[in-house]
Amino acid sequence: MAVKIKQLEITGLRGVKDTFSLTLGEKSVLLYGDNGTGKSSISDSVEWYYNDAVSHLSGEEIDLREALRNAYLASEDESIISVNYNKAVINSQKKLFTKKSKLVSEYSNVTEDFSGYLESSKKENLILRYQFLRDFIDRTKGDKLKNLSDIIGFSEVTKIKDVLRKSFSSIKSEIKAQNFENQINTQKQTLIEKIGASVSQEKNFFEKINEIIGDYATGITVASMEDVDKVLLKLKTPVATKTVTELRFLETYQTTLTLLKSETSLIDQEYDKYFKEFEKIAADVQSIMQTYFAEMLKSGGNLISKKFHTDSSCPLCLQPKDLNDLASEIKVRLLAIEESAKKKAVFDNAKTSAITIVEERIKRLKTLGSEVLLADSSNITEKNALDELKKKLEAYHKAISEKVTSGNKIGASDSLKLEDKDFSVLTAVSDRIGKIKKAMATDNTTILFANISASKDAFQKIKKFEAERDKLEAQKKSLGIIYDGFVKKQKDGLQDFIDNFSDTINEFYQYMNPGELFEEIRIVTMGEEDELNGITIEFKYKGNWVSPPQKYFSESHLNCFGISFFLASVIAFNKENKFLLLDDVISSFDTSHRKRFADLIFEKFADYQIILLTHEEQWFQYVKQIAKKKGWLIGEIKWTEAKGTHLDETPSDLKELIELNLANANIAFLGNPIRRYLEHILKTICFNLEVKLSFRYNEVNEKRMPDEMINDLKSKINKASTDLKLKLPILDRLTNSNVFGNLLSHDNPFDPKLGDLKAFWNDILEFEGLFKCHQATCTKPQVSIKNYDTVGKKIRCGCDATKYDWKT
Amino acid sequence: MNQINQTVNIYFDSPKNFEASNILPLNGIAGLYFIFSSSIQIQYPFDKSRLLYIGMSEKRTNSIGNRLNGHFGGKSKNVGLTNYRNVEPLWFTYINFDMLKNIWAYRIEDLESYFILDFVQHFGVYPICNNKTGLDVMNNDIATHFKIDWNYFK
């Protein structure tokens, strides 16, 4: 069941000093109030109730709370807003009160039902005020996108997209850093050298091994890697083992360094890219440092645009500053930061790529460094050369790890690059390999053992690299598919939503502006491929698509768009609530737009509960006629120093309200109306019977309490009328009732029973009936001294049907 | 080098589907590539083969990735390959020239000629989509000869 309001009561908030009570019973209400009567006290209170903030008041909590409190309240008084809904389980009060010298707030309803409802409601569009009509139009294209994205949950989806993209990039970098193609080629070269074949499939490898062992009568036909091991075991001799171990070590050393030598251009290329970006950023560190201020500036901009900060000062340092100038400066700085952030992202990518590539090479050299034979004194030259290469790669690593904001310079690749002389050790290694091979030349078995052993090793490495590459390529492919599908779905989803949303906006706008030149108003996404960067509003003007609306629209048209946007948002996003509060939204509209807006509300939002506030009297009169027919409630808001903002109720309205609340057993909302009704009839009776009370000035006089008036009325009756003296027990019943005592006291908790209230109300009506003629034809039903019968010496009503003796 | 005047076996890697995601990683690689059908056997004069085309990228800047992409997108205007691709999925494999740089002292173009002429020797004609004739016969005194595993394309 969609939520509607049954009862709204505000005490001590904003302009409301006393109590402002609206018994709605889920009905819509039209409230008229002249400027300055405090209509916005209602929207402010409701906004605070839901959002713990009021958009046009200060953003700082303590200021907001002070601003919310009615200025005339005593410090011990509580400010309260109570809302009863058509779902009783979410009924709640929100109080603002002083606790340990601080203003604190709390809800009376602490159930999960209520907190869930409140959370959902915060995301809904419940209140629209005149001053925020143009909010969406005036936002930048990026902010428009953000605003809509936040509402429809698109921002969360974008975060997931970014995670996918980062994962995709990370796999791509890993594939690049590993340089599988090069590693596989190096091993294939070994295979060509050792067994004279380029092989990467097992059956081909076994075929080739069988071919080269053919003449050695091993008796084994190779069909698996185990068979290759069996062949090796057969060919193995102690001499061969030692020689081959040394040969294997030297060849591994040679292969690793040769591979690294072939990759120097890859390392330099990546380092050069990084160095170039480093230089760019280092030359403009200030702008990069500025990126860290982005969040603060955005918050500052929001404070100003949402009018949380309205003083002519900087919200941070509080130095005097024109807010428009400040907003423009912030905008310019944010644009500059956006550029810097892009530069930084390019730099970060270059850095990641370069460091991954260097780290992978360092890792390979470390693996070579763990070879046992490297510790042998005969290999000291090789060890030293390896250490030097490692140092040079570590120098690259250090340069790439340098913080760009440190102010330190890093060397260009010329000063770091690996040169041919760094690999000069390879000549000596090659000679050693040549010597070993020469020594083995006559020992065919050892040669064969060495070749098969090395080729098995190379082949297994190829399979390992292929498996790793295929795994990463498959992940990259899957992630690519997921990412593309995700982006497409996300874009399509957003487009579908925006298309429907645009249609609704256009429908409402055209409803209010029939036959005008602006057609097909729509909101449009901006950006390429998967990167949306904004939203704009466009429409057809004389057959051509144009944008932005500010350029072509009048004030009235802009506001019409604002209202259309809000109402379309209500339909699109409000799922929990079926009520709206519209605070003076038609102020700048011309007459025809105002009428069309009223018609739009009655026609398109007939199933919504609308709380419509206005200070435009003519429009009020127009809307009132339709509203009455549609069963809306009508009210007028007044302000007096004594009560502050209050509803100007006639006794008949009050009576209707009280009887409605009695019928619905709505006890919490009966006390104030009954007291006000009693005050009202007592004032009328005292006035008509010229009951004299001690003199008070105007405003204070208005605050006469019932007990004071009853005492003086009784005294007057005792002196003047025998007939009425007999009726005095009714007055005594009223004054003796515990309800009466509690009504007059603000200190005692008031928790009456429904039966007591009904009895008390019946006594009031009986008391009122004493002084009011019941003849339907009586034109002056009030018993009054003005109708005094000087012959019969009686006070009476206008038709003489109700009369009592009265001594003047 | 001990490969001097010796014959090296050329076995091919596992075939890959002729599609963009498999072509993209080959950017920056120079060498030979082989496009073949997944099931259609071409009846050449001496034998049947699924091999349709032997291509070559002579430098990294016009890599195997670029060349395959040209065939894939139809830019190369090789009608035969386009039509075979329309009839059934094609496969490809490649040889990275770096792998042979220690044993092949000539240009990649010469390596391509060697492979095509070897194919002609075994099958009697150029691969069906190569659209060329009149390649120079390589001098027989070259240091390395290849025994190419043409059975791979059967």
Side-chain angles (χ1 to χ4, degrees):
Chain A
M1 181 171 56
V3 171
K4 288 186 177 179
I5 298 174
K6 289 179 82 172
Q7 181 81 31
L8 174 70
E9 198 165 281
I10 300 165
T11 307
L13 282 165
R14 301 289 289 151
V16 183
K17 183 179 176 185
D18 198 1
T19 297
F20 181 95
S21 184
L22 270 179
T23 300
L24 298 171
E26 302 179 44
K27 287 182 177 177
S28 293
V29 63
L30 169 66
L31 294 171
Y32 167 78
D34 214 347
N35 274 334
T37 50
K39 289 183 298 303
S40 293
S41 302
I42 304 166
S43 37
D44 290 353
S45 304
V46 173
E47 190 177 350
W48 175 67
Y49 178 86
Y50 280 103
N51 301 333
D52 214 30
V54 179
S55 44
H56 68 98
L57 296 176
S58 166
E60 290 179 40
E61 185 76 349
I62 189 69
D63 285 345
L64 168 70
R65 288 177 172 171
E66 278 173 4
L68 274 166
R69 292 266 292 172
N70 181 278
Y72 296 100
L73 282 193
S75 61
E76 66 274 16
D77 289 341
E78 292 177 337
S79 303
I80 305 168
I81 169 168
S82 308
V83 192
N84 280 6
Y85 303 93
N86 52 351
K87 281 161 85 174
V89 69
I90 54 168
N91 289 350
S92 185
Q93 272 192 346
K94 187 177 184 183
K95 280 192 210 173
L96 186 59
F97 56 99
T98 309
K99 190 176 177 184
K100 294 181 183 169
S101 312
K102 278 188 177 171
L103 276 173
V104 291
S105 66
E106 68 180 26
Y107 290 99
S108 62
N109 192 334
V110 290
T111 62
E112 282 183 14
D113 283 327
F114 179 67
S115 58
Y117 164 73
L118 204 61
E119 272 312 303
S120 310
S121 298
K122 278 179 186 170
K123 295 172 194 155
E124 298 196 354
N125 300 275
L126 300 176
I127 303 166
L128 182 65
R129 303 164 190 271
Y130 166 68
Q131 62 263 50
F132 297 115
L133 278 180
R134 287 180 49 173
D135 252 19
F136 186 77
I137 299 177
D138 290 338
R139 284 191 178 133
T140 62
K141 61 181 185 175
D143 282 349
K144 282 192 185 91
L145 177 65
K146 188 178 179 315
N147 177 253
L148 262 190
S149 300
D150 286 347
I151 300 172
I152 63 176
F154 189 75
S155 309
E156 286 305 309
V157 179
T158 303
K159 279 180 201 160
I160 297 172
K161 186 183 80 178
D162 289 344
V163 171
L164 282 175
R165 185 166 49 191
K166 276 184 188 159
S167 310
F168 180 77
S169 303
S170 143
I171 291 174
K172 222 169 119 184
S173 304
E174 181 65 18
I175 292 172
K176 188 176 175 184
Q178 290 286 350
N179 202 356
F180 290 114
E181 187 67 27
N182 217 12
Q183 297 207 70
I184 289 171
N185 269 335
T186 305
Q187 299 308 323
K188 279 188 179 171
Q189 283 171 14
T190 303
L191 283 169
I192 289 170
E193 187 189 330
K194 299 295 176 190
I195 58 171
S198 148
V199 188
S200 66
Q201 300 197 67
E202 271 193 343
K203 63 170 187 169
N204 301 141
F205 179 63
F206 299 149
E207 184 182 317
K208 189 66 195 176
I209 297 292
N210 282 327
E211 183 191 315
I212 62 174
I213 62 170
D215 298 338
Y216 286 85
T218 55
I220 301 166
T221 303
V222 172
S224 69
M225 278 298 166
E226 287 74 30
D227 293 339
V228 176
D229 288 337
K230 281 179 201 163
V231 169
L232 287 171
L233 200 65
K234 263 215 151 146
L235 298 172
K236 194 173 170 185
T237 64
V239 179
T241 307
K242 188 174 177 297
T243 313
V244 169
T245 306
E246 190 184 351
L247 183 63
R248 282 271 304 280
F249 159 68
L250 290 170
E251 283 178 342
T252 306
Y253 188 94
Q254 186 186 45
T255 308
T256 308
L257 263 62
T258 307
L259 179 61
L260 179 64
K261 195 177 173 188
S262 74
E263 289 179 326
T264 52
S265 59
L266 171 73
I267 298 168
D268 285 341
Q269 194 183 318
E270 291 302 312
Y271 183 80
D272 282 344
K273 275 188 209 162
Y274 163 75
F275 179 72
K276 217 168 101 190
E277 297 304 325
F278 184 94
E279 290 284 286
K280 269 192 217 166
I281 300 279
D284 192 14
V285 171
Q286 279 311 313
S287 73
I288 294 305
M289 301 292 265
Q290 287 297 313
T291 59
Y292 301 112
F293 289 95
E295 285 308 312
M296 186 200 75
L297 287 167
K298 278 180 195 163
S299 302
N302 275 341
L303 282 177
I304 297 168
S305 68
K306 291 185 176 169
K307 300 188 171 56
F308 290 158
H309 179 86
T310 49
D311 297 341
S312 291
S313 63
C314 163
L316 188 64
C317 67
L318 301 178
Q319 293 296 309
K321 186 90 186 167
D322 179 83
L323 286 187
N324 288 330
D325 292 349
L326 187 58
S328 306
E329 281 172 32
I330 288 176
K331 208 170 161 185
V332 170
R333 283 183 69 186
L334 280 172
L335 271 177
I337 286 172
E338 204 176 308
E339 283 305 308
S340 306
K342 278 183 198 160
K343 278 188 209 164
K344 190 171 175 291
V346 174
F347 168 75
D348 287 342
N349 279 341
K351 181 172 182 158
T352 307
S353 181
I355 210 154
T356 317
I357 282 170
V358 169
E359 278 174 353
E360 171 63 24
R361 273 72 208 167
I362 292 175
K363 193 174 91 187
R364 288 182 200 165
L365 292 191
K366 278 184 180 166
T367 307
L368 181 61
S370 64
E371 285 276 341
V372 181
L373 280 185
L374 204 60
D376 195 284
S377 57
S378 62
N379 295 319
I380 189 74
T381 316
E382 286 75 16
K383 187 179 182 306
N384 290 342
L386 184 65
D387 288 343
E388 285 306 311
L389 279 169
K390 237 182 340 188
K391 270 187 205 163
K392 288 199 91 165
L393 284 177
E394 277 158 0
Y396 267 114
H397 192 271
K398 192 178 170 220
I400 302 167
S401 305
E402 184 66 62
K403 276 194 172 176
V404 71
T405 50
S406 66
N408 296 334
K409 292 264 177 201
I410 59 167
S413 63
D414 288 349
S415 63
L416 296 166
K417 76 177 357 168
L418 298 173
E419 294 169 304
D420 283 352
K421 64 178 184 192
D422 296 314
F423 297 94
S424 59
V425 67
L426 282 174
T427 313
V429 170
S430 183
D431 288 349
R432 285 179 67 187
I433 291 171
K435 277 178 193 162
I436 294 171
K437 280 182 179 170
K438 202 172 171 187
M440 291 193 321
T442 51
D443 185 355
N444 285 343
T445 310
T446 304
I447 291 172
L448 190 63
F449 177 82
N451 286 347
I452 294 177
S453 173
S455 63
K456 179 195 155 201
D457 202 32
F459 182 79
Q460 284 181 324
K461 278 183 181 161
I462 289 173
K463 298 318 283 178
K464 182 179 141 246
F465 294 143
E466 277 181 353
E468 284 173 12
R469 180 191 62 190
D470 292 349
K471 191 176 77 186
L472 287 171
E473 288 286 357
Q475 283 178 4
K476 186 178 133 191
K477 199 170 169 180
S478 305
L479 265 172
I481 291 168
I482 293 169
Y483 180 77
D484 290 344
F486 191 88
V487 168
K488 188 172 180 315
K489 201 95 187 149
Q490 184 197 24
K491 253 194 126 171
D492 290 351
L494 181 69
Q495 201 53 53
D496 278 355
F497 167 78
I498 283 181
D499 289 346
N500 287 330
F501 193 50
S502 287
D503 286 349
T504 317
I505 293 173
N506 187 52
E507 180 192 344
F508 293 161
Y509 182 88
Q510 299 301 342
Y511 189 102
M512 288 187 276
N513 300 276
E516 292 196 7
L517 291 171
F518 307 118
E519 296 171 311
E520 294 182 47
I521 295 180
R522 64 186 190 188
I523 49 179
V524 185
T525 50
M526 300 167 78
E528 295 296 324
E529 297 293 319
D530 58 333
E531 284 304 319
L532 292 180
N533 55 28
I535 276 180
T536 188
I537 302 158
E538 61 181 36
F539 49 90
K540 269 190 177 168
Y541 178 64
K542 295 181 179 174
N544 297 318
W545 287 106
V546 291
S547 183
Q550 291 95 319
K551 203 166 156 187
Y552 300 87
F553 278 12
S554 68
E555 186 74 10
S556 211
H557 286 116
L558 285 171
N559 289 338
C560 264
F561 177 86
I563 286 186
S564 303
F565 181 85
F566 175 83
L567 294 176
S569 305
V570 167
I571 287 175
F573 308 127
N574 289 16
K575 305 290 175 220
E576 192 84 35
N577 295 293
K578 203 81 178 174
F579 71 87
L580 296 179
L581 200 159
L582 304 172
D583 185 355
D584 238 350
V585 292
I586 49 88
S587 290
S588 74
F589 282 25
D590 51 39
T591 314
S592 66
H593 279 119
R594 285 177 186 186
K595 284 189 173 180
R596 301 291 300 176
F597 170 66
D599 296 342
L600 176 77
I601 292 291
F602 286 118
E603 188 180 320
K604 306 279 183 189
F605 289 84
D607 55 338
Y608 280 77
Q609 181 185 31
I610 313 279
I611 300 170
L612 189 56
L613 310 176
T614 183
H615 77 277
E616 303 288 340
E617 198 183 352
Q618 276 189 335
W619 189 67
F620 171 70
Q621 295 303 340
Y622 171 76
V623 177
K624 193 173 154 185
Q625 302 312 314
I626 313 171
K628 266 187 182 170
K629 286 181 201 157
K630 301 277 181 189
W632 285 38
L633 305 172
I634 318 282
E636 199 167 327
I637 296 168
K638 292 267 168 126
W639 186 90
T640 62
E641 199 174 333
K643 292 181 175 180
T645 299
H646 62 278
L647 206 55
D648 191 30
E649 298 148 316
T650 62
S652 61
D653 291 337
L654 264 179
K655 196 170 176 180
E656 196 181 318
L657 170 70
I658 292 162
E659 287 179 345
L660 184 70
N661 280 339
L662 281 170
N664 293 331
N666 211 352
I667 294 171
F669 294 97
L670 274 163
N672 272 319
I674 290 178
R675 179 175 56 79
R676 293 206 301 278
Y677 191 81
L678 180 60
E679 281 172 10
H680 188 85
I681 60 168
L682 278 168
K683 281 179 187 172
T684 309
I685 294 165
C686 289
F687 177 76
N688 288 333
L689 301 187
E690 294 184 349
V691 175
K692 296 199 168 33
L693 286 95
S694 51
F695 173 79
R696 305 240 176 106
Y697 286 106
N698 292 347
E699 293 301 334
V700 190
N701 192 39
E702 279 297 310
K703 288 176 73 182
R704 299 275 183 188
M705 299 295 275
D707 57 342
E708 190 186 355
M709 289 187 278
I710 285 176
N711 283 340
D712 289 343
L713 177 64
K714 273 166 77 176
S715 165
K716 180 86 177 178
I717 287 171
N718 274 325
K719 286 177 193 162
S721 174
T722 314
D723 295 341
L724 281 170
K725 214 165 153 181
L726 295 172
K727 307 285 184 188
L728 280 179
I730 299 174
L731 264 179
D732 291 337
R733 279 213 305 277
L734 275 177
T735 50
N736 292 337
S737 160
N738 65 334
V739 178
F740 183 79
N742 283 315
L743 277 180
L744 303 185
S745 166
H746 293 287
D747 300 328
N748 297 334
F750 185 45
D751 185 22
K753 300 279 180 291
L754 184 64
D756 292 345
L757 282 167
K758 279 185 174 169
F760 188 69
W761 177 243
N762 286 334
D763 288 343
I764 290 175
L765 294 180
E766 193 180 338
F767 169 63
E768 185 187 18
L770 290 177
F771 301 94
K772 203 169 178 182
C773 177
H774 299 283
Q775 300 296 323
T777 49
C778 182
T779 52
K780 294 177 179 171
Q782 298 291 342
V783 173
S784 170
I785 280 183
K786 284 178 188 156
N787 305 322
Y788 191 67
D789 175 2
T790 49
V791 179
K793 296 191 187 307
K794 287 179 190 290
I795 49 168
R796 57 182 178 172
C797 67
C799 73
D800 198 41
T802 307
K803 52 190 171 185
Y804 305 102
D805 67 306
W806 194 262
K807 288 180 196 161
T808 53
Chain B
M1 275 189 276
N2 59 359
Q3 290 86 359
I4 302 279
N5 292 322
Q6 103 173 27
T7 299
V8 170
N9 291 69
I10 298 293
Y11 294 105
F12 296 97
D13 291 347
S14 304
K16 291 176 186 293
N17 290 329
F18 188 47
E19 57 189 43
S21 61
N22 288 328
I23 295 171
L24 195 67
L26 304 183
N27 283 335
I29 297 173
L32 303 186
Y33 57 91
F34 306 81
I35 301 174
F36 54 107
S37 79
S38 49
S39 68
I40 299 170
Q41 300 262 358
I42 315 296
Q43 180 62 65
Y44 289 106
F46 302 155
D47 205 349
K48 285 182 178 177
S49 176
R50 288 176 297 137
L51 185 64
L52 303 173
Y53 186 82
I54 297 175
M56 173 269 299
S57 137
E58 76 285 10
K59 53 187 178 184
R60 289 172 195 275
T61 48
N62 184 21
S63 64
I64 293 179
N66 286 344
R67 303 277 290 118
L68 283 172
N69 205 30
H71 294 308
F72 185 75
K75 251 197 231 168
S76 67
K77 304 231 181 336
N78 190 320
V79 183
L81 283 179
T82 308
N83 287 336
Y84 273 113
R85 196 177 149 220
N86 286 338
V87 175
E88 68 161 12
L90 300 184
W91 289 348
F92 75 92
T93 189
Y94 68 98
I95 292 174
N96 187 328
F97 187 66
D98 283 349
M99 174 182 94
L100 303 174
K101 67 185 178 191
N102 290 340
I103 52 169
W104 183 258
Y106 311 99
R107 300 174 309 155
I108 300 183
E109 290 90 327
D110 298 327
L111 187 71
E112 184 199 22
S113 297
Y114 186 101
F115 270 69
I116 290 177
L117 290 173
D118 196 66
F119 184 85
V120 172
Q121 203 174 343
H122 284 82
F123 293 88
V125 71
Y126 297 108
I128 195 162
C129 294
N130 269 71
N131 302 329
K132 52 176 147 180
T133 56
L135 286 173
D136 291 337
V137 177
M138 287 291 291
N139 193 337
N140 277 342
D141 63 5
I142 56 172
T144 307
H145 286 278
F146 298 110
K147 188 180 168 195
I148 302 160
D149 178 26
W150 295 117
N151 284 333
Y152 176 89
F153 300 105
K154 282 212 163 171

